[in-house]
Amino acid sequence: MIILGLDPSLSCTGWGVIRVEGSRISHIANGQIKTDAKAPLPDRLAHLDTVLAAVIADHAPECAAVEEVFVNDNPQSTLKLAHARGVALLACARGGLPVGEYAPRLVKKAIVGTGGAAKEQVQAMLRVLLPGAKVAGADAADALAVAICHANHRPRV
């Protein structure tokens, strides 16, 4: 099974694609989609949609996993995150992908063993779980972690 993990953000959405064969997980690809902070919101969302559609077309995942929104102290930041997350969910739906959604604490627990893990701990575990994978940045690492969380929590058939 090929899983697409997404860590949505308006400024930089991370994506990661893994293959799961039994209990074995391997890295396929990852990246980050950056948008121009000076561009109008609709243009930024359209760019995010276009690139996500290309990632889905290029890697043909069978399902996707998206990190849930966490509430920031700044309501504007939360709203921007929600816009990007909506685009990510729409891109997956357009691609015919069933989507799992996971809270950040659950993702950290699935990777490190504790929901309060630091980003550095998650990235260190990713190096163990996906040896040799060159990760494009922190947002791509988070997306790979979301994909692995889905691999561990998805319904078995």
Side-chain angles (χ1 to χ4, degrees), residues 15 27 29-32 123 126-127 130 132-144:
W15 61 270
H27 174 264
N30 71 84
Q32 299 182 139
Q123 292 172 10
L126 283 175
R127 287 190 291 276
L130 303 172
K134 292 189 181 1
V135 180
D139 296 301
D142 289 348
L144 287 166

Side-chain angles (χ1 to χ4, degrees), residues 38-58:
K38 295 176 185 160
L41 178 62
D43 293 349
R44 294 174 78 182
L45 296 173
H47 174 69
L48 181 58
D49 180 57
T50 299
V51 177
L52 284 174
V55 168
I56 291 168
D58 289 348

Side-chain angles (χ1 to χ4, degrees), residues 8-95:
S9 167
L10 185 58
S11 59
C12 184
T13 290
W15 61 270
V17 182
I18 62 170
R19 179 183 312 278
V20 179
E21 296 171 298
S23 62
R24 186 168 172 238
I25 296 172
S26 57
H27 174 264
I28 295 177
N30 71 84
Q32 299 182 139
I33 306 165
K34 296 183 180 184
T35 66
D36 181 356
K38 295 176 185 160
L41 178 62
D43 293 349
R44 294 174 78 182
L45 296 173
H47 174 69
L48 181 58
D49 180 57
T50 299
V51 177
L52 284 174
V55 168
I56 291 168
D58 289 348
H59 298 289
E62 297 163 57
C63 59
V66 179
E67 191 168 80
E68 290 179 344
V69 170
F70 63 91
V71 179
N72 294 295
D73 291 334
N74 180 342
Q76 283 297 86
S77 296
T78 302
L79 188 57
K80 289 177 182 178
L81 174 59
H83 287 315
R85 191 171 177 280
V87 168
L89 292 171
L90 177 61
C92 292
R94 266 201 215 127

Side-chain angles (χ1 to χ4, degrees), residues 104-115:
R105 289 186 66 81
L106 181 61
V107 173
K108 291 175 181 181
K109 187 172 183 178
I111 303 302
V112 179
T114 177

